[in-house]
Amino acid sequence: MMDLLIPDKVHDESRQGEALVLEPVTGKNNSRKLYIESYGCAMNFSDSEIVASILSEKGFETTADHTIADVILINTCSIRENAEQRVRNRLKEFTIAKVKNPGLVVGVLGCMAERLKSKFLEEEKLVDVVVGPDAYRDLPNLIEQVDSGQRAVNVLLSREETYADISPVRLNSNGINAFVSIMRGCDNMCSFCVVPFTRGRERSRDPQSIVKECTDLFNQGYREVTLLGQNVDSYKWCSPHPALSKGEGSEKEEGQKVLSFGEDLGEAGHATPHPALSKGEGSEKEEGQKVLSFGEDLGEAGHATPHPALSKGEGSEKEEGQKVLSFGEDLGEAGHATPHPALSKGEGSEKEEGQKVLSFGEDLGEAGHATLHPALSKGEGSEKEESQKVLSFGEDLGEAKQTNFANLLQMVALINPDLRVRFSTSHPKDITDEVLYTIKKYDNICNYIHLPVQSGNSRVLELMNRTYDRDWYIDRINAIRRIIPGCAISTDVITGFCSETEEEHQDTLSMMDYVQYDFAYMFMYSERPGTLAAKRYADDIPDGVKRRRLKEVVAKQQEHSFIKLQKQVGSTQRVLIEGFSKKSNNDYCGRSDHNAMVVFPVGEGYKPGQYVNVLIDRSTTATLIGSVIPQTP
């Protein structure tokens, strides 16, 4: 019954255990057949598309029949114990295939693989290869290792891997909806969650690759993209300064140069290396340039003379009149040892009239001036001159090029007004009014937000390390209602978390009454090994109590879902047709802007992939039912 309340596509129960089938890559057939089965959230299904792309380039052909496969891969979920048990039960079913084909390679991918690592090989003798979410590029090599008689494991987590350069193969796609991963990992460390341990630290894809992928999808006929991340609201991409290294193996545009650590960014907005600075061991220096020791002058570009006011190291000789500067003293003109009047000389130091203390990032400019570098922030609450912009660490000293989630949403929405944009998942501590106003501004960004609450009680939220309390969450709900009236909201709820009292459970029910969610994911607490909660708190709520509380939450949500859908009876909903209804080929189905499933009769003049206006006649507890309003020529 619970899944009836969850038409959201983040965790589609109907797709659990789904096998992919795709067209073989021309000219690269190695005669080996690949079977991939996926479990868990949308991120796992998206990852399976990446795996399919990597292996299809090596000549693997997919099959929907595991009994004829040469390689079987299961992409796993580790969020709850029953998710892992489902995978173990499925592995047992592959035993017969392994007996019939001793050369069969069986691999486990994803979060469960990352959590158990090599222990998986000990516990499940059938398994040959274990691969974590950041090691999929290594799969061809790992399969070769197994072919040579070795079992293989790669569960290394990465701080950089986003698979941004890999074009995912869309698996079993209807050609209309697609998931697009915008980031990987999570830094939130909720005490009940294994994701930070199985998917690693948070890192964002560059926006250009995301926009390109979404544009390509639209050009291929797709009409809806869902931007995926564990916490999309914390998406942040800082464009590297064009003169700075963009990471090992990064591509550089013509004329750009990689600076070694310590090289000069020159004048604001310029990427030329300071000629007086070392360009790295073995680098070539123009005539007259010299390598500066630490502390030597950055002076004007083209001069390599050491700053006479700076110490060149212990025991170094100083010309007459030179002195050693304390930290913060002037870098001014060579030969002067006066402290920069705009810099603080330490707490309690005296400042001449007109001098001021610089905040971090203020200009060292000419001696006597305390002007702010126009491209640098002076910190929160500081005043900025007109046209100045706050830069985050690592951003260009020229034009600011930071992209946050609101910016990314806008970039994707502008691809085409017929490309519908969804996203998941948001975090209450990070969702901003800027994101909400962006949703409001663009008609093709769906008025639907998944905002997990987990619990309605502040003490329990603190134990969960959710970093917000009840009042903060209510404030975010109020902001959504104020800025986007009528916006659909769904949530996650956990019942029976460690030490949760009956009164605290009632706080969750009262929160549900306050918000009246459109849909919900509802679960009783399942302790996961290795999490903060497992280490610190006793799982002390009896299963019977957990189940009873869950039943109350489900009943409450069922009531609210029906009320929400009933309010839409008589309204007209714009629906993207996804295909035939599961119950009848005489009906089409699709989703409204608010993510509600809508069913209506098949007719002439419209087909899957097109938008239609549907007049809603009635509703069930999970579905809107109506008829298409004919479009006038």
Side-chain angles (χ1 to χ4, degrees):
M1 180 181 292
M2 280 201 307
D3 59 333
L4 293 178
L5 303 174
I6 312 172
D8 176 48
K9 292 180 289 184
V10 174
H11 188 108
D12 189 343
E13 190 64 27
S14 66
R15 295 191 68 189
Q16 301 304 298
E18 180 180 272
L20 68 92
V21 179
L22 53 106
E23 292 297 321
V25 177
T26 304
K28 294 190 176 182
N29 186 356
N30 67 5
S31 75
R32 301 186 75 179
K33 296 190 180 298
L34 169 69
Y35 177 89
I36 303 181
E37 201 170 273
S38 302
Y39 295 87
C41 66
M43 188 68 76
N44 272 9
F45 286 85
S46 178
D47 279 0
S48 290
E49 295 175 344
I50 291 171
V51 170
S53 180
I54 292 170
L55 292 179
S56 64
E57 284 297 316
K58 296 297 181 180
F60 285 86
E61 286 188 23
T62 55
T63 176
D65 183 0
H66 76 268
T67 63
I68 62 172
D70 299 291
V71 176
I72 294 176
L73 300 177
I74 304 182
N75 200 344
T76 62
C77 175
S78 196
I79 196 69
R80 283 173 297 280
E81 185 177 358
N82 63 352
E84 292 194 353
Q85 191 56 50
R86 177 184 287 184
V87 170
R88 292 184 186 276
N89 291 340
R90 184 60 172 147
L91 284 171
K92 292 177 183 177
E93 297 175 17
F94 295 144
T95 303
I96 297 176
K98 185 82 166 179
V99 170
K100 291 182 177 179
N101 179 12
L104 174 67
V105 176
V106 177
V108 176
L109 316 178
C111 294
M112 191 175 176
E114 189 65 46
R115 189 182 77 78
L116 293 172
K117 300 179 173 59
S118 59
K119 187 179 179 182
F120 215 126
L121 298 178
E122 302 170 11
E123 296 179 355
E124 301 290 344
K125 302 302 183 182
L126 182 75
V127 175
D128 302 297
V129 60
V130 177
V131 189
D134 290 349
Y136 296 145
R137 291 182 194 269
D138 198 29
L139 261 169
N141 297 327
L142 297 173
I143 292 173
E144 285 185 9
Q145 287 184 38
V146 176
D147 290 341
S148 66
Q150 306 175 54
R151 301 170 90 188
V153 178
N154 188 342
V155 288
L156 292 176
L157 289 174
S158 167
R159 287 177 180 266
E160 290 83 31
E161 182 62 86
T162 62
Y163 300 107
D165 60 317
I166 294 177
S167 179
V169 176
R170 304 296 163 180
L171 312 179
N172 300 338
S173 173
N174 58 9
I176 298 166
N177 318 96
F179 293 118
V180 176
S181 175
I182 67 170
M183 59 198 301
R184 299 182 71 83
C186 184
D187 287 347
N188 286 321
M189 300 301 294
C190 297
S191 65
F192 55 81
C193 187
V194 297
V195 169
F197 306 103
T198 59
R199 287 192 169 269
R201 297 297 299 272
E202 188 176 278
R203 61 270 189 203
S204 300
R205 277 179 66 183
D206 67 280
Q208 289 77 19
S209 71
I210 296 169
V211 171
K212 182 182 184 302
E213 183 175 339
C214 293
T215 302
D216 290 345
L217 286 167
F218 182 81
N219 292 336
Q220 293 166 25
Y222 287 81
R223 290 297 176 263
E224 180 181 285
V225 293
T226 301
L227 306 180
L228 292 179
Q230 302 298 333
N231 177 11
V232 292
D233 294 301
S234 64
Y235 174 89
K236 183 175 67 174
W237 174 265
C238 297
S239 298
H241 192 288
L244 286 173
S245 169
K246 292 182 283 184
E248 293 184 8
S250 63
E251 296 179 5
K252 303 183 292 299
E253 296 180 13
E254 187 175 354
Q256 294 184 3
K257 174 180 184 301
V258 176
L259 288 184
S260 300
F261 178 79
E263 286 195 289
D264 189 18
L265 298 183
E267 297 180 15
H270 294 276
T272 55
H274 194 294
L277 283 174
S278 168
K279 291 182 282 185
E281 291 185 7
S283 63
E284 296 179 5
K285 301 183 293 296
E286 296 179 13
E287 187 175 353
Q289 295 181 6
K290 75 178 285 289
V291 177
L292 291 184
S293 302
F294 178 78
E296 288 192 292
D297 188 18
L298 300 185
E300 298 181 9
H303 296 275
T305 55
H307 193 295
L310 283 175
S311 167
K312 292 183 285 184
E314 292 185 15
S316 63
E317 296 179 5
K318 301 184 294 295
E319 297 179 12
E320 185 176 354
Q322 294 180 5
K323 73 179 285 288
V324 177
L325 288 184
S326 301
F327 179 78
E329 289 194 290
D330 188 19
L331 299 183
E333 298 181 8
H336 295 274
T338 55
H340 192 293
L343 283 175
S344 168
K345 291 182 287 185
E347 294 184 16
S349 63
E350 297 179 3
K351 302 185 293 293
E352 296 179 13
E353 186 176 354
Q355 296 179 5
K356 73 180 284 290
V357 177
L358 286 186
S359 300
F360 177 78
E362 287 193 293
D363 191 11
L364 299 184
E366 297 180 11
H369 295 276
T371 57
L372 171 70
H373 191 294
L376 285 175
S377 165
K378 290 187 289 186
E380 292 184 17
S382 63
E383 296 180 4
K384 303 184 294 294
E385 297 178 12
E386 188 174 355
S387 82
Q388 292 181 10
K389 183 177 188 303
V390 177
L391 291 183
S392 295
F393 176 77
E395 285 197 293
D396 191 359
L397 296 187
E399 297 181 4
K401 293 182 180 178
Q402 176 173 302
T403 304
N404 62 18
F405 184 58
N407 303 146
L408 180 66
L409 268 180
Q410 176 176 268
M411 293 165 70
V412 176
L414 288 172
I415 291 172
N416 193 288
D418 284 335
L419 180 64
R420 182 181 267 180
V421 184
R422 300 187 188 275
F423 58 89
S424 187
T425 298
S426 291
H427 195 293
K429 75 176 175 63
D430 293 316
I431 190 168
T432 64
D433 286 1
E434 183 185 9
V435 168
L436 302 181
Y437 280 113
T438 302
I439 296 171
K440 179 182 180 181
K441 182 177 180 180
Y442 295 97
D443 290 339
N444 59 331
I445 302 179
C446 293
N447 287 359
Y448 164 69
I449 296 173
H450 184 69
L451 196 67
V453 64
Q454 307 300 1
S455 171
N457 178 265
S458 293
R459 186 191 75 88
V460 175
L461 288 171
E462 185 175 5
L463 289 179
M464 290 178 169
N465 197 34
R466 290 290 289 171
T467 67
Y468 58 85
D469 59 14
R470 180 184 176 94
D471 290 341
W472 177 279
Y473 187 89
I474 289 175
D475 174 78
R476 292 292 79 205
I477 293 295
N478 292 342
I480 295 171
R481 300 295 191 212
R482 181 182 73 253
I483 297 170
I484 319 172
C487 182
I489 303 174
S490 61
T491 198
D492 296 343
V493 178
I494 297 175
T495 65
F497 189 70
C498 309
S499 76
E500 181 189 60
T501 65
E502 282 300 322
E503 291 76 13
E504 290 165 341
H505 169 62
Q506 291 300 318
D507 283 344
T508 296
L509 294 176
S510 69
M511 177 69 84
M512 295 177 72
D513 284 331
Y514 181 83
V515 180
Q516 295 206 6
Y517 298 104
D518 292 74
F519 324 115
Y521 290 99
M522 298 154 287
F523 309 101
M524 64 181 194
Y525 173 62
S526 171
E527 183 179 86
R528 308 308 298 130
T531 60
L532 185 65
K535 294 175 181 177
R536 289 188 178 179
Y537 312 129
D539 184 9
D540 54 0
I541 307 300
D543 276 359
V545 175
K546 289 181 182 179
R547 293 182 186 280
R548 189 258 303 164
R549 292 176 183 175
L550 177 61
K551 186 176 180 180
E552 292 174 5
V553 166
V554 169
K556 178 77 70 176
Q557 184 54 52
Q558 191 169 30
E559 174 188 341
H560 292 160
S561 292
F562 184 67
I563 291 172
K564 287 285 189 177
L565 292 176
Q566 278 289 296
K567 287 182 178 179
Q568 298 180 58
V569 173
S571 70
T572 300
Q573 299 293 322
R574 188 168 189 250
V575 178
L576 175 60
I577 306 175
E578 297 182 9
F580 291 108
S581 166
K582 291 181 179 179
K583 294 184 178 180
S584 171
N585 285 342
N586 294 322
D587 292 323
Y588 278 142
C589 67
R591 294 176 189 274
S592 70
D593 182 64
H594 296 89
N595 205 38
M597 181 58 73
V598 183
V599 174
F600 50 92
V602 172
E604 295 183 2
Y606 50 89
K607 60 183 180 180
Q610 295 181 338
Y611 292 97
V612 290
N613 291 320
V614 179
L615 177 64
I616 305 303
D617 303 321
R618 57 192 176 93
S619 78
T620 66
T621 56
T623 306
L624 296 173
I625 301 171
S627 56
V628 172
I629 300 175
Q631 293 186 355
T632 56

